[in-house]
Amino acid sequence: MTVVDLRSDTVTQPTAAMRAAMLAAPLGDDVFGDDPSVNALQSALAERLGFEAALFMPTGTQSNLCALMSHCQRGDEYLVGQFAHTYRWEGGGAAVLGSIQPQPLPHQADGSLALADIEANIKPDDAHFARTRLLTLENTIGGKVLPLAYLSAASHLALGKGLSRHLDGARLFNAAVALGGDPYQAARQICSHFDSVSVCFSKGLGAPVGSVLCGSRDFIARAHRWRKMAGGGMRQAGVLGAAAQHALDHHVARLADDHALAQRLAAGLQGLPGVTVEAPQTNIVFVDVAGPSQERAAGVIPHLKSRGVLATGLYRLRFVTHLDVDAAGVDRAIAAMRDYFGA
Ligand SMILES: *Cc1c(COP(=O)(O)O)cnc(C)c1O
């Protein structure tokens, strides 16, 4: 029995076509700037998203860290969501390695940060305070898509207060596909509200490794120095760059399939006693286990595993659809959940 792995969209295996693209990639030493496949990827993404320059990174964590360090100096501060990856899930790197202080803000129900909270937390120019330099948003955030009107308003507020704007767009293309229309155009529209964007290729896009940071030429030159210091200068990185390029060209539009499977899963879990399903906007389904069912929550993940279904969480279960999951796999997850919760 093949395992239906819904723990994350990071678990995807490179497709045969992607492996072929990796094998065929022309290579050079990227620390010398000589790798044609990395250079092609960087130009292609910068152009598609409307930035001057881009830089290939081993991970999204390193990409966000280099971005924050390129926007902020020691003793500066960034405004960030309480549950944002750049605050909560990156080992405190901005503070530890960058001497940059986070100012975490609560999320609204739609994942956004209230404009009033952003404004109220911009510190006055006074020696008591860290210098507020940057607003960092994440899109998608917990699988939710930030509305374009919100991005525009937050961006204008930040600009008016002299802040730079960074987007952790690990799942930028999921957000773009969910907006509808041409996904590359939608991604560009999202990016128009930011000075820099970090995009993951190792999530739903299905590449084995890699993120790309986009921004102005000056910004990317600063990030390049930080990437070297962080140990992210890679040599014949084009084997990885070619996988990301293949994903950019062939795996963007198909994210709609993952979103449809998330809808199928959510629909199939409706009505289970003690279980509340949050309507998914993209490829992540959250399921809250409440009431008397909570006592049995600890058994859910092992039960699913015994049925060949992997997921994460306890009282809040998380199921993520991706390239290597199909409708039959989703139906197996639904059946295993219905079994467990007795419906
Ligand atoms: C996955 C992810 C990252 C980067 O994670 P890495 O594992 O370091 O590539 C950054 N932000 C968000 C929102 C993510 O989901």
Side-chain angles (χ1 to χ4, degrees):
M1 184 169 65
T2 57
V3 170
V4 180
D5 194 343
L6 299 166
R7 289 174 302 168
S8 176
D9 47 7
T10 56
V11 302
T12 54
Q13 296 281 326
T15 62
M18 182 178 278
R19 288 170 196 257
M22 295 170 77
L23 203 58
L27 304 176
D29 188 327
D30 184 51
V31 171
F32 288 107
D34 282 350
D35 191 300
S37 301
V38 168
N39 291 339
L41 169 70
Q42 291 174 166
S43 329
L45 191 69
E47 218 237 285
R48 288 220 139 141
L49 298 183
F51 290 96
E52 282 178 1
L55 191 62
F56 188 52
M57 301 271 187
T59 65
T61 297
Q62 187 173 107
S63 183
N64 281 324
L65 175 67
C66 291
L68 295 180
M69 291 179 74
S70 300
H71 283 299
C72 298
Q73 304 286 320
R74 183 170 187 228
D76 286 352
E77 171 181 81
Y78 66 113
L79 305 180
V80 62
Q82 178 75 51
F83 292 106
H85 205 277
T86 48
Y87 169 59
R88 205 175 181 95
W89 298 93
E90 296 184 1
V96 174
L97 302 168
S99 301
I100 306 164
Q101 165 169 290
Q103 168 63 68
L105 302 178
H107 294 274
Q108 303 303 298
D110 67 357
S112 68
L113 309 179
L115 298 181
D117 287 343
I118 293 174
E119 187 155 11
N121 281 279
I122 299 172
K123 314 296 185 291
D125 183 6
D126 176 311
H128 290 87
F129 302 116
R131 293 168 301 241
T132 313
R133 277 288 304 133
L134 177 69
L135 173 64
T136 299
L137 297 179
E138 183 175 315
N139 195 17
T140 61
I141 170 87
K144 291 176 177 165
V145 182
L146 296 177
L148 285 173
Y150 169 75
L151 295 181
S152 170
S155 160
H156 279 101
L157 171 60
L159 274 184
K161 300 286 184 183
L163 306 189
S164 298
R165 306 151 301 167
H166 174 67
L167 178 66
D168 179 355
R171 297 188 178 86
L172 169 71
F173 285 108
N174 292 91
V177 163
L179 287 178
D182 174 9
Y184 300 102
Q185 193 54 42
R188 194 184 176 94
Q189 226 179 330
I190 293 171
C191 290
S192 70
H193 301 294
F194 295 92
D195 300 296
S196 59
V197 172
S198 173
V199 179
C200 277
F201 284 89
S202 59
K203 300 266 164 87
L205 291 179
V209 170
S211 283
V212 174
L213 179 63
C214 299
S216 71
R217 240 182 289 287
D218 281 355
F219 171 84
I220 291 298
R222 294 197 297 279
H224 188 266
R225 182 177 286 272
W226 291 125
R227 186 187 71 172
K228 184 69 195 167
M229 274 191 233
M234 298 185 287
R235 302 294 176 173
Q236 284 70 40
V239 279
L240 303 174
Q245 181 79 58
H246 181 84
L248 180 62
D249 295 338
H250 302 286
H251 290 177
V252 169
R254 66 148 307 284
L255 291 171
D257 302 346
D258 302 344
H259 298 180
L261 285 180
Q263 293 291 341
R264 182 186 182 101
L265 177 60
L269 298 179
Q270 285 302 336
L272 282 180
V275 163
T276 310
V277 185
E278 195 178 277
Q281 295 179 19
T282 57
N283 67 328
I284 305 180
V285 181
F286 286 104
V287 175
D288 290 313
V289 181
S293 296
Q294 269 201 349
E295 285 168 29
R296 305 179 58 221
V300 180
I301 296 293
H303 168 78
L304 291 175
K305 194 168 181 186
S306 76
R307 301 297 179 90
V309 176
L310 305 182
T312 60
L314 181 59
Y315 301 124
R316 189 167 171 78
L317 305 172
R318 192 179 88 141
F319 300 86
V320 186
T321 56
H322 53 75
L323 193 58
D324 291 346
V325 180
D326 59 12
V330 163
D331 290 348
R332 197 202 296 171
I334 294 168
M337 282 286 282
R338 298 199 80 85
D339 258 16
Y340 190 78
F341 289 102

